[in-house]
Amino acid sequence: MMDQLSLGLTNLEGLSFRRDGNGEDTPATEEITNPQSTSPRLVHQSSRTSIYRFQDKGIKVRLGGNLGDPQPQQWQVDRLSNEQTISRYLPLSCKRREVLNIGPFDGHPVALYFKWANGITLKEWMRKVQGGTPGVASFTVTQRNYNETSHIQQNHSRSSSHNESAIDSNLLYFGNIGHTTNSALYTSTIKTPTPRATDDLNVRLRAAMAIAKTLSDFHDAGVVINNLTTENVVLDTFEGDYVATFIDLSEAAIFRNDAPDNQGGQKSVDDMAAFEKQIKQEDLRSLGTVLNQLFRGFQDDSASQSVVRDNTDVFACDRTDTPSKTEGEDVRRKRSKPTNASEGLPIYLGSLISTLLLTDSPASAVNYESAKDVYLDLKTMLENKSRCFRKTDLDECMVESRLKLNTDLFYGRRVQISMLMHLLNSVFMRGNQPSIATISGHPGTGKSTLASQIKKPIQDRDGFFIEGKFHKSSCPDTVLSKALNSFFGSIIVKGSFSGNMLMPLRWRIHDAIGSGNNLLMDVIPNLRKLMAEETSTVQTSSNGCTLRSGRSHAIPTSSHRLKFMFCKLIGAIACKAHPLILFLDDLQWADEITLDVIRMILTDPDVTHFLLLGAYRDNEVSLSHPLTEKLNYLKEHGKDVVPINIGPLEKECVNTLVSEALCLPPNLCRPLSNAIHTKTGGIIMFLLRFLKSLNDEGLLWFSLSSQRWEFDLKKIRVKEISADVVQHMTLNMTRLDKNIQMGLKTAACVGSNFDAEILQKTKKDDDFDMKTLLEKCVEDGYLIRIDGSQQFAWAHDQVHQAAYELIPIEKRELFHLLLGSRLLMKSSSSELANMLFCVVDNMNRGVNLLESDDQKHELAFLNLRAGESALSYSAFHTASRYLITGLSLLEHDSWEKNYSLRMRLYDAASEALYVTGDFSRLISLVQKPLKLAICFDDKLNLYNNLVRSLAASGQMDEGIATCLRVLAQLGEVIPSTISLESYHTETVRIKTMMQGMSDDQLLSLPVITDTCKMAAMQFLNHLLYQAYFAKPELSPFISFRMVEMSIEYGVCNITPFAFSVYGAFLVSAINDNEGGYRMGRVAMELMKKMNAIEIIPRLSIVIYSMINIWKEPFQASLSKHLEAFDIGAHRGDMEFAISSLFQYVNMSIYGCGENFDGLIKHIQAYSKRALQSQQHVVGTYLIAAHQQAFDFMGVEENAYSLYFVGMTEDSCFDTAYRNNQLSICRYICQKRKYVAFWTGDMDVAAKMYELSKRFPLGSNGKIVSDLVATFIDGLIAFYFARKHRSDEAKWKAIGEDVMATLEKWEEGSTWNFRNKRFLLEAEFNFLKGDHRMTMHCYMSSIKAAHAHRFNHEEGLAYEKAATFLLHENDHNGALDCFRKAKKCYEAWGAHTLVARVEMAIAVLLPLCADT
């Protein structure tokens, strides 16, 4: 867009010309006749030159020594001839006055005929711009002005008769010149309004660019001007911008073929390059003079010479400049250094001009070598005004020659930014599932700065940006909670949310995590403040099973809950209106728990519009690194991990950085930036520190005389530096004052973030001055003050590491020990609580220097305090580190010494290791105290954590054996194998005991007080869980003992679960439906009475999946399973919470016949959640159900591969069989049998029936799929019995047994089993050939299924009836039944069955009369 001051391009037609001194072609004030006149008109006359105008041509006449003398001197003739030669030599692309020929004119022997040049001379243009007032233009403007652009559009008309462009003055001044002027003359005289400073500078920049561009074209063509002045430049407009034409080429010279020969008579490349560089300097200095006049407002040489004076030793081109000089002689012009040449100009522009004017100055390290570089730098300034105009006046740092650099500079990375913005748009536009991207690169490459570029875009769109950073020496397991706490704190402090944004956020959080969530709010205090309520503690039973010293084991359970709660909280923050980006930096130092939380978030189906952005150092993450394993896990489970690699900066980006940092044009910085790039490898943090060190060492300084940054390039190039940025920074730090160095060492030991008060306590009186230290470190970019407080953070971990490297390796342990001891001695009890981690961390680093046992014991106790404190903050990895360190301090003591401290350390350490999943270490750790503990009670807590670790690590047999040994020590002997006789004996005994007790008596049982029996109940609970999977024959016996102990010794919070398991045994094993239902009811009432909310999920599994199904409609339990999941998830009982989801799916498919089209989405979400929670057994059940849904829906896809790459149902079964996971094998057999039966593949169904007998359920409670499997067995049996093969009797017997079983089941629930029993009877009568009873039973089954809303089994009954009618040759009846079966299958969403029935209908249609 052309700016305002194009108004200066006025019509030359109305001006005459005059020459001052020896000049020519300068517009005068007299007006002349119309240029369309038929005869030449004089338009300019001076003492030596006359200019005539004839239409579109001009005639230049050289006069003699006296005015009117027609005879020019020879040197004048030579100049005319030289101008013609140069004009014809130049290509058409060079903007010059085009010479037509030389010949006589009006009595003059020699005249130069040329094509008239449109426009106005630069000198006159400047006069009009300045309004006739010379002087320095003011360019002090605000940042707001930099980005302002004119929105006034240009209108113009074109005269067809004269091919002229009539341009409105205001549009020339403000408008976008988008038209071509061709050779037309402007037809209006334009008045000059007063522009704003930015408009003025914009226009001058465009004019300067045009001049530099034309000069560059001349040099590229091999011509130097040697006479570049404001009078010899004509400005015009063309296609929306200025063009500059050089009109006096009389002193120009062709230099391309004039380079001197070397001794061999040939021109070397180096000689030619040196010659061209030297010969262009005169033009470049002249360009500097012209630009100085242009931007400072000088209109004539006299004004300019006050700033630019003559100097010597400047080579000009071969020319005849004066009469005394002959052609071919060298002529040198004298130019002086400018005085305040850049005063009043932006420093960037002033540096450019002063460099052109000071090309021969020894103080200048770099000069311009071409006009093209000048043009490009001017263009850069025009395109980046906000950056290049930002400094006009010198600041304090410049005056003191101190380089001040920002640490968050960002350059280049266009590809990476594009990828981030694409991810951001995806989160906003789609966001139906969480996304992840990783930013990897070496230290100091700008990974964090890259991530921060997305912060403003998402906040501008009402999104959220939460960021956390891991540190090598800090607690990694608190990073996520601190990041969330900081996020909520910013909302509270800054009030950045309006009411209509804050309330929905509160509602979403409340709905997600519920009320009374102290666990989450304890680790995120600002969340409690945000919710604006004091969350009351949910009172749980005080009768819970606790072990030694009454200690409960809520911490390990809470870890699972905490991870789930983090997941739910993230899901609540992120929503469609407010997407969330969570940026976690330095993931290579993340702990296992945080990585597990990340995995859970990214696989949580309820989390949407969320992007995890993780940065890590790829040189520190190997293939076996935990981060790599977690990323691979996500990929294997179908999660796209978008990798964004960030490498060193390219040379051009480094040059831009240096240019902006020094306010120097890019081409002046290039030699310096190339040297910096070579030495630092383009690592941005390295090059920033290197740039700062150059300033500190005096190799880069700000010159007050030239008012620009200058540098000693030669010394910089030979300067040797370390290839490692940390070593380089450490070396620079050693040049600081000794006291500052001591302060840096101390601060490095305090931590990545620290409070000034803590730092104050670590120093001696004469170590360093706090104020001086902090101010110096902040000024030099080592530290960052956090929000103006007394909190400080290191600018980068590499800076932190460099400061730490100041401490000699051999003295580090002592330094840490002294620092920690000093903090300990100077802190009160309350202060120590706040800096406990800092004290213990430092003292632990010097633990090898402790000699006294008392010192070791004291430090061991401090480690215990720190470990227990970390556990309270759910920092389990950190806690385990403190606790194990504490144990190591006591390892050489006798076992009896500090026994209590030792056992507390072992107890807490085993809990922390269990939570972190370090089961192998835990198992190894507890062996010694289990062997040497003084009493058995002291071992209970260790055994408790041991058996859970064995179960969690899949060592079920060892876990069972351990539980049996512990129970024996507690007086409860459980045999490892149960004989049939003992089984019956125990069954009779427990039934006899329970028969005499009413519900009220059971509910009135006292609370257990015997701690030994309380512990036994805890281990029986562990044993029951492990026996269900590994030794199902033990399960009834264990439940009997738990019920017996509750009656004999009192109840605890495990008793309701024991009662429910016993109830499941009653209904499943001995068909006592009423007794089992009663025990389930009592268990639920007892749970409510004891307020044992934590056991609701496991209680619901047993009651609603194993007991109530024998009495209440299947459909009644669906909502109960979802409720149990919510409670279990909130309580952290993920095992039974996920099991509740499976029971919901299992009941929906087998029991209720829910529509597959709606159910499939839930199955997939639940499967992901199961795998997310590491519940792989239940997850496998759900994946099998997913495949089952695909089979019925006709989806030709392998559901297993959606979760595990390469897995199939066969490979899953084989793996489970090898690992003795019999429950998985049994479930897959049931699923295959079910699908094969429904789809008509009866041979496979029979095969699966036989295979499933290898995996008996035993006396464990039956769930709905087990009941339906029995029903399907009867239908399979009657089908094969009708084949009348040799095995008919076997199959008939099986069918009759199943039919008898269903008759008993129907007695408990006609709703669930009547339609099934009728269908079996129909098949039985079909086998017998009783037509009437067969149809009666089919119709009865159809009626019952319809009444009880079992659409799938109604369709099955219709299909079976159709098959029977076909057998009876009743085609019409069969067709009607098939059509009704199809309708039922459509309602079920079983498209595979619909397709099969449609085929049968198609076959029947031609056979039916009434169709």
Side-chain angles (χ1 to χ4, degrees):
M1 176 180 286
M2 179 61 71
D3 296 275
Q4 304 179 34
L5 299 181
S6 55
L7 67 96
L9 299 178
T10 188
N11 180 15
L12 295 183
E13 176 185 349
L15 298 175
S16 62
F17 295 82
R18 67 184 177 191
R19 184 70 168 173
D20 295 325
N22 293 327
E24 56 179 303
D25 299 351
T26 302
T29 56
E30 306 92 66
E31 296 200 3
I32 63 171
T33 59
N34 193 299
Q36 302 300 324
S37 172
T38 57
S39 60
R41 301 296 179 183
L42 179 66
V43 297
H44 164 78
Q45 187 169 1
S46 67
S47 60
R48 294 184 178 180
T49 307
S50 294
I51 302 294
Y52 294 86
R53 172 78 183 277
F54 180 69
Q55 296 182 0
D56 62 346
K57 296 181 180 61
I59 305 166
K60 179 178 179 180
V61 177
R62 284 287 190 177
L63 304 178
N66 297 317
L67 184 62
D69 185 355
Q71 297 299 323
Q73 299 183 31
Q74 183 59 43
W75 67 270
Q76 293 175 309
V77 174
D78 291 342
R79 283 194 175 186
L80 292 178
S81 178
N82 184 64
E83 185 166 358
Q84 181 185 34
T85 301
I86 297 297
S87 178
R88 291 181 176 179
Y89 173 79
L90 291 169
L92 293 177
S93 59
C94 291
K95 303 295 182 182
R96 83 284 187 197
R97 183 165 62 186
E98 184 179 349
V99 176
L100 301 176
N101 60 283
I102 294 178
F105 171 75
D106 195 23
H108 297 279
V110 180
L112 186 74
Y113 289 81
F114 58 89
K115 189 174 181 179
W116 194 263
N118 296 318
I120 184 173
T121 65
L122 178 61
K123 185 174 183 178
E124 179 63 14
W125 182 87
M126 290 166 55
R127 186 186 67 79
K128 288 183 170 290
V129 167
Q130 289 297 116
T133 305
V136 179
S138 174
F139 301 112
T140 304
V141 293
T142 64
Q143 181 72 27
R144 176 176 171 270
N145 296 132
Y146 297 151
N147 300 321
E148 291 183 357
T149 56
S150 174
H151 297 283
I152 303 178
Q153 302 298 316
Q154 173 185 309
N155 298 300
H156 66 271
S157 61
R158 180 166 298 178
S159 171
S160 58
S161 59
H162 300 293
N163 192 29
E164 296 177 350
S165 297
I167 303 177
D168 181 84
S169 61
N170 289 327
L171 299 180
L172 272 172
Y173 197 82
F174 290 98
N176 178 11
I177 302 179
H179 63 279
T180 304
T181 61
N182 298 326
S183 60
L185 299 175
Y186 296 118
T187 58
S188 61
T189 302
I190 304 170
K191 297 180 180 180
T192 308
T194 303
R196 291 175 300 182
T198 46
D199 297 323
D200 185 275
L201 189 52
N202 286 346
V203 174
R204 293 173 192 263
L205 274 173
R206 292 179 181 275
M209 286 170 57
I211 297 168
K213 177 66 168 61
T214 301
L215 182 58
S216 175
D217 291 342
F218 269 66
H219 287 177
D220 289 344
V223 173
V224 289
I225 304 302
N226 292 324
N227 188 27
L228 183 62
T229 66
T230 58
E231 300 165 344
N232 293 337
V233 177
V234 170
L235 289 181
D236 196 6
T237 56
F238 181 75
E239 294 187 349
D241 221 330
Y242 285 129
V243 291
T245 303
F246 296 165
I247 61 173
D248 185 359
L249 307 181
S250 59
E251 299 182 33
I254 301 171
F255 66 84
R256 186 56 51 83
N257 297 316
D258 293 340
D261 294 346
N262 58 17
Q263 294 180 356
Q266 295 181 346
K267 301 174 182 178
S268 69
V269 175
D270 291 340
D271 288 340
M272 291 186 65
F275 175 75
E276 288 193 13
K277 178 180 177 181
Q278 184 182 26
I279 204 170
K280 292 176 185 177
Q281 292 305 308
E282 172 65 16
D283 278 359
L284 292 175
R285 264 190 300 271
S286 298
L287 177 62
T289 301
V290 169
L291 296 184
N292 189 51
Q293 295 173 356
L294 172 62
F295 287 103
R296 289 171 57 80
F298 297 124
Q299 298 178 20
D300 52 49
D301 289 339
S302 61
S304 178
Q305 291 306 316
S306 66
V307 178
V308 183
R309 295 188 294 272
D310 290 342
N311 200 2
T312 59
D313 301 329
V314 179
F315 182 82
C317 182
D318 292 341
R319 63 191 183 279
T320 55
D321 192 48
T322 64
S324 61
K325 295 292 182 182
T326 60
E327 186 175 354
E329 291 185 285
D330 291 344
V331 180
R332 301 182 185 275
R333 286 191 174 180
K334 297 179 181 180
R335 302 282 187 187
S336 68
K337 298 179 183 179
T339 303
N340 296 328
S342 59
E343 182 180 354
L345 299 178
I347 293 176
Y348 179 103
L349 179 59
S351 299
L352 183 148
I353 294 174
S354 66
T355 301
L356 288 170
L357 295 174
L358 296 172
T359 52
D360 59 342
S361 172
S364 179
V366 177
N367 298 319
Y368 278 111
E369 297 184 3
S370 72
K372 184 177 182 180
D373 289 345
V374 179
Y375 167 77
L376 293 175
D377 286 346
L378 289 169
K379 183 180 180 183
T380 298
M381 186 173 188
L382 183 66
E383 294 173 348
N384 300 277
K385 294 187 289 292
S386 62
R387 190 176 71 211
C388 300
F389 289 10
R390 62 189 175 91
K391 283 191 177 181
T392 301
D393 298 325
L394 303 186
D395 56 25
E396 182 181 352
C397 290
M398 289 181 172
V399 173
E400 297 177 359
S401 194
R402 288 186 291 108
L403 183 61
K404 189 173 183 179
L405 297 169
N406 293 327
T407 57
D408 57 349
L409 299 176
F410 185 80
Y411 295 88
R413 316 298 189 197
R414 292 185 179 180
V415 174
Q416 291 86 348
I417 283 292
S418 177
M419 295 175 71
L420 283 178
M421 294 309 297
H422 176 74
L423 286 167
L424 177 61
N425 290 330
S426 297
V427 172
F428 272 94
M429 301 303 295
R430 295 189 294 273
N432 55 338
Q433 59 181 356
S435 305
I436 175 175
T438 59
I439 303 175
S440 59
H442 279 47
T445 49
K447 300 182 292 294
S448 307
T449 308
L450 172 64
S452 67
Q453 303 307 303
I454 205 173
K455 186 174 184 179
K456 188 175 186 302
I458 190 172
Q459 291 176 342
D460 288 345
R461 297 169 67 174
D462 290 335
F464 302 135
F465 188 89
I466 301 176
E467 53 189 322
K469 181 177 176 63
F470 294 92
H471 297 280
K472 191 173 184 178
S473 57
S474 300
C475 307
D477 34 15
T478 60
V479 169
L480 187 57
S481 57
K482 287 180 178 178
L484 288 164
N485 195 55
S486 176
F487 168 70
F488 291 122
S490 67
I491 295 176
I492 296 170
V493 174
K494 298 179 182 178
S496 54
F497 274 26
S498 59
N500 60 350
M501 291 175 64
L502 185 57
M503 287 308 299
L505 176 63
R506 284 175 173 163
W507 292 334
R508 293 198 305 271
I509 293 174
H510 185 275
D511 291 344
I513 66 174
S515 59
N517 200 321
N518 281 338
L519 178 65
L520 196 58
M521 292 185 178
D522 283 345
V523 297
I524 310 176
N526 285 329
L527 175 60
R528 188 190 303 276
K529 297 178 182 178
L530 181 73
M531 300 305 287
E533 60 181 12
E534 288 297 326
T535 308
S536 58
T537 302
V538 177
Q539 180 65 41
T540 59
S541 172
S542 60
N543 306 311
C545 285
T546 56
L547 302 184
R548 187 177 58 80
S549 301
R551 184 189 310 197
S552 67
H553 293 274
I555 291 177
T557 301
S558 297
S559 69
H560 299 290
R561 181 187 179 198
L562 183 64
K563 289 188 285 188
F564 181 77
M565 286 295 103
F566 272 129
C567 214
K568 299 291 284 184
L569 181 60
I570 292 295
I573 297 172
C575 64
K576 186 175 182 179
H578 308 289
L580 169 63
I581 293 180
L582 173 61
F583 171 55
L584 295 177
D585 198 6
D586 284 322
L587 278 175
Q588 73 276 359
W589 295 323
D591 62 295
E592 285 283 353
I593 289 183
T594 304
L595 291 176
D596 204 40
V597 172
I598 292 171
R599 176 191 57 77
M600 291 177 65
I601 293 172
L602 292 170
T603 54
D604 191 327
D606 293 337
V607 177
T608 60
H609 301 283
F610 170 79
L611 170 63
L612 174 74
L613 200 56
Y616 67 91
R617 299 179 181 179
D618 52 9
N619 61 316
E620 297 184 23
V621 176
S622 63
L623 293 177
S624 60
H625 194 279
L627 176 61
T628 305
E629 294 175 357
K630 282 294 185 292
L631 294 177
N632 289 337
Y633 174 91
L634 292 171
K635 294 174 185 176
E636 291 170 0
H637 287 76
K639 182 63 63 178
D640 290 330
V641 180
V642 180
I644 301 176
N645 184 262
I646 184 169
L649 286 177
E650 299 176 351
K651 281 189 176 181
E652 195 57 39
C653 296
V654 174
N655 190 55
T656 304
L657 184 155
V658 175
S659 171
E660 293 186 14
L662 304 182
C663 290
L664 281 177
N667 282 294
L668 293 181
C669 295
R670 188 159 280 109
L672 173 62
S673 64
N674 286 346
I676 292 174
H677 186 276
T678 299
K679 292 183 178 295
T680 63
I683 305 299
I684 187 167
M685 193 189 69
F686 197 172
L687 66 89
L688 289 174
R689 302 310 308 180
F690 180 61
L691 201 57
K692 185 71 171 63
S693 70
L694 294 179
N695 179 233
D696 294 340
E697 296 172 29
L699 299 179
L700 173 66
W701 67 94
F702 188 82
S703 170
L704 291 177
S705 60
S706 63
Q707 294 195 3
R708 70 181 179 95
W709 287 94
E710 297 179 354
F711 44 88
D712 192 328
L713 186 60
K714 183 177 180 181
K715 290 184 179 180
I716 292 172
R717 283 173 172 165
V718 299
K719 177 179 173 60
E720 294 184 0
I721 64 170
S722 170
D724 181 74
V725 63
V726 173
Q727 294 178 12
H728 173 73
M729 287 190 290
T730 302
L731 181 61
N732 288 332
M733 289 176 180
T734 59
R735 301 188 180 99
L736 297 172
D737 181 83
K738 293 296 182 182
N739 289 341
I740 299 296
Q741 290 186 52
M742 175 56 71
L744 284 169
K745 295 175 188 177
T746 306
C749 294
V750 171
S752 55
N753 301 282
F754 58 87
D755 191 289
E757 181 182 353
I758 295 180
L759 188 62
Q760 178 70 34
K761 289 181 180 294
T762 63
K763 76 181 199 70
K764 291 182 180 179
D765 295 337
D766 57 348
D767 275 351
F768 51 84
D769 179 71
M770 278 288 295
K771 183 178 180 182
T772 303
L773 170 70
L774 295 175
E775 288 179 353
K776 176 66 175 175
C777 290
V778 170
E779 180 183 336
D780 288 351
Y782 296 136
L783 294 176
I784 299 172
R785 185 187 292 269
I786 302 175
D787 297 330
S789 66
Q790 288 301 301
Q791 295 284 330
F792 294 86
W794 292 97
H796 194 278
D797 344 308
Q798 300 286 83
V799 180
H800 187 185
Q801 183 64 28
Y804 186 73
E805 295 289 337
L806 289 171
I807 309 173
I809 296 177
E810 65 278 5
K811 294 183 179 180
R812 288 178 186 172
E813 289 187 351
L814 179 59
F815 196 92
H816 280 289
L817 184 60
L818 290 175
L819 188 148
S821 302
R822 197 176 297 158
L823 272 176
L824 179 63
M825 291 185 293
K826 289 185 177 181
S827 302
S828 63
S829 298
S830 59
E831 290 175 331
L832 181 59
N834 293 327
M835 60 182 70
L836 179 62
F837 294 149
C838 182
V839 171
V840 177
D841 285 338
N842 277 281
M843 295 187 72
N844 283 347
R845 296 289 292 272
V847 69
N848 294 329
L849 301 179
L850 294 178
E851 297 179 353
S852 164
D853 288 343
D854 290 340
Q855 290 177 332
K856 292 180 180 180
H857 298 160
E858 183 179 8
L859 183 54
F861 179 70
L862 287 173
N863 273 279
L864 174 65
R865 287 185 60 185
E868 291 179 338
S869 178
L871 282 174
S872 69
Y873 287 108
S874 301
F876 302 108
H877 277 286
T878 302
S880 64
R881 188 176 71 246
Y882 287 131
L883 295 165
I884 291 174
T885 300
L887 285 170
S888 68
L889 288 164
L890 304 177
E891 62 182 350
H892 298 299
D893 288 352
S894 62
W895 185 256
E896 295 78 11
K897 192 173 184 180
N898 289 296
Y899 176 79
S900 176
L901 172 61
R902 188 189 304 271
M903 291 306 299
R904 285 181 64 185
L905 285 166
Y906 272 118
D907 282 351
S910 66
E911 290 178 353
L913 291 173
Y914 173 75
V915 173
T916 58
D918 196 348
F919 302 129
S920 60
R921 191 173 188 181
L922 186 154
I923 293 170
S924 174
L925 178 78
V926 300
Q927 298 307 314
K928 188 174 183 179
L930 289 178
K931 181 179 179 181
L932 299 176
I934 295 175
C935 65
F936 183 74
D937 285 351
D938 292 341
K939 302 178 183 180
L940 285 176
N941 194 47
L942 299 173
Y943 271 126
N944 183 66
N945 292 321
L946 173 62
V947 296
R948 289 187 298 168
S949 297
L950 291 169
S953 58
Q955 302 178 61
M956 296 288 190
D957 291 337
E958 181 63 26
I960 291 173
T962 303
C963 282
L964 293 175
R965 289 196 301 271
V966 172
L967 286 167
Q969 289 281 337
L970 292 171
E972 298 296 330
V973 179
I974 305 291
S976 58
T977 58
I978 305 294
S979 66
L980 185 60
E981 181 180 358
S982 61
Y983 172 76
H984 286 303
T985 302
E986 285 297 314
T987 301
V988 172
R989 192 166 65 85
I990 193 67
K991 283 192 69 177
T992 303
M993 178 183 294
M994 296 298 294
Q995 282 178 353
M997 300 196 67
S998 65
D999 292 358
D1000 290 340
Q1001 287 177 310
L1002 292 174
L1003 293 172
S1004 301
L1005 289 171
V1007 175
I1008 191 169
T1009 57
D1010 189 328
T1011 57
C1012 181
K1013 298 304 178 183
M1014 192 181 298
M1017 284 291 288
Q1018 180 75 39
F1019 282 95
L1020 283 168
N1021 187 41
H1022 295 326
L1023 182 60
L1024 180 63
Y1025 173 77
Q1026 297 178 63
Y1028 181 88
F1029 294 100
K1031 281 194 173 184
E1033 67 274 12
L1034 280 180
S1035 296
F1037 199 91
I1038 298 167
S1039 66
F1040 296 165
R1041 186 59 57 88
M1042 295 174 74
V1043 171
E1044 184 180 354
M1045 287 181 60
S1046 296
I1047 293 174
E1048 184 174 353
Y1049 299 105
V1051 296
C1052 64
N1053 60 351
I1054 297 175
T1055 299
F1057 181 60
F1059 282 177
S1060 67
V1061 173
Y1062 175 64
F1065 164 78
L1066 291 177
V1067 296
S1068 299
I1070 59 178
N1071 296 318
D1072 183 0
N1073 293 346
E1074 289 299 327
Y1077 191 74
R1078 173 203 174 208
M1079 291 307 301
R1081 187 177 62 251
V1082 169
M1084 190 63 72
E1085 290 297 323
L1086 184 60
M1087 179 275 298
K1088 293 178 181 178
K1089 179 181 178 181
M1090 301 186 69
N1091 198 22
I1093 301 173
E1094 68 276 7
I1095 69 167
I1096 287 180
R1098 61 187 65 197
L1099 206 59
S1100 296
I1101 290 289
V1102 178
I1103 292 175
Y1104 297 111
S1105 296
M1106 299 178 183
I1107 297 178
N1108 287 8
I1109 57 174
W1110 299 94
K1111 190 175 183 68
E1112 297 180 357
F1114 289 157
Q1115 294 90 340
S1117 65
L1118 286 176
S1119 61
K1120 299 296 183 182
H1121 292 312
L1122 296 180
E1123 291 173 7
F1125 165 75
D1126 288 336
I1127 295 172
H1130 282 83
R1131 301 301 304 179
D1133 190 355
M1134 296 309 298
E1135 293 170 346
F1136 286 91
I1138 297 300
S1139 293
S1140 295
L1141 293 180
F1142 163 68
Q1143 295 298 340
Y1144 172 84
V1145 171
N1146 192 59
M1147 182 67 74
S1148 297
I1149 294 177
Y1150 286 97
C1152 304
E1154 294 291 305
N1155 181 271
F1156 281 115
D1157 294 323
L1159 186 61
I1160 191 70
K1161 295 179 181 178
H1162 295 300
I1163 296 175
Q1164 187 168 9
Y1166 298 161
S1167 301
K1168 289 181 178 179
R1169 191 178 292 284
L1171 298 177
Q1172 171 206 61
S1173 302
Q1174 300 291 307
Q1175 303 301 315
H1176 292 290
V1177 173
V1178 179
T1180 304
Y1181 295 163
L1182 286 165
I1183 295 171
H1186 195 175
Q1187 184 63 58
Q1188 187 173 11
F1190 276 175
D1191 294 340
F1192 277 103
M1193 296 173 69
V1195 177
E1196 297 293 334
E1197 190 172 353
N1198 175 21
Y1200 292 85
S1201 64
L1202 299 177
Y1203 306 93
F1204 299 98
V1205 177
M1207 178 180 281
T1208 63
E1209 193 163 78
D1210 288 336
S1211 66
C1212 179
F1213 181 88
D1214 293 341
T1215 301
Y1217 187 76
R1218 286 194 304 270
N1219 294 335
N1220 200 34
Q1221 294 175 313
L1222 304 185
S1223 62
I1224 293 178
C1225 296
R1226 180 172 58 250
Y1227 189 78
I1228 291 178
C1229 284
Q1230 284 184 357
K1231 174 261 173 188
R1232 284 184 169 179
K1233 178 176 67 177
Y1234 192 73
V1235 172
F1237 169 79
W1238 281 89
T1239 57
D1241 193 347
M1242 300 303 292
D1243 290 334
V1244 172
K1247 181 181 177 181
M1248 289 299 106
Y1249 167 79
E1250 296 294 344
L1251 183 60
S1252 63
K1253 291 193 294 184
R1254 297 170 56 183
F1255 312 109
L1257 182 62
S1259 299
N1260 283 332
K1262 292 182 176 68
I1263 59 177
V1264 70
S1265 56
D1266 299 318
L1267 306 185
V1268 174
T1270 301
F1271 164 59
I1272 296 298
D1273 289 344
L1275 295 175
I1276 294 171
F1278 285 130
Y1279 171 85
F1280 281 103
R1282 288 202 308 270
K1283 296 293 183 182
H1284 301 298
R1285 298 183 306 199
S1286 59
D1287 56 356
E1288 177 182 352
K1290 182 193 80 168
W1291 286 114
K1292 181 181 178 183
I1294 294 172
E1296 289 176 340
D1297 286 343
V1298 171
M1299 190 165 59
T1301 299
L1302 264 293
E1303 288 177 358
K1304 294 180 180 178
W1305 290 359
E1306 186 184 358
E1307 293 174 3
S1309 174
T1310 57
W1311 182 283
N1312 293 334
F1313 302 113
R1314 172 160 293 180
N1315 71 296
K1316 299 174 180 62
R1317 194 259 303 170
F1318 272 127
L1319 188 56
L1320 284 170
E1321 288 187 357
E1323 291 289 284
F1324 175 68
N1325 284 294
F1326 187 4
L1327 174 63
K1328 292 196 305 180
D1330 189 338
H1331 174 87
R1332 186 184 64 80
M1333 282 302 299
T1334 299
M1335 283 305 300
H1336 170 75
C1337 289
Y1338 278 137
M1339 291 300 106
S1340 297
S1341 177
I1342 290 169
K1343 181 179 179 181
H1346 180 79
H1348 301 158
R1349 302 196 302 276
F1350 298 138
N1351 286 336
H1352 59 315
E1353 291 175 352
E1354 180 185 357
L1356 176 63
Y1358 271 122
E1359 187 178 6
K1360 289 293 184 181
T1363 303
F1364 170 73
L1365 291 172
L1366 278 177
H1367 183 269
E1368 299 295 320
N1369 291 318
D1370 185 354
H1371 295 161
N1372 288 326
L1375 179 62
D1376 181 61
C1377 287
F1378 274 130
R1379 284 174 169 169
K1380 291 177 179 178
K1382 175 188 173 183
K1383 185 176 181 181
C1384 292
Y1385 291 157
E1386 287 174 339
W1388 193 19
H1391 307 303
T1392 299
L1393 306 186
V1394 171
R1396 191 190 69 220
V1397 172
E1398 285 177 340
M1399 291 177 62
I1401 293 173
V1403 172
L1404 275 176
L1405 280 174
L1407 304 177
C1408 297
D1410 300 326
T1411 58

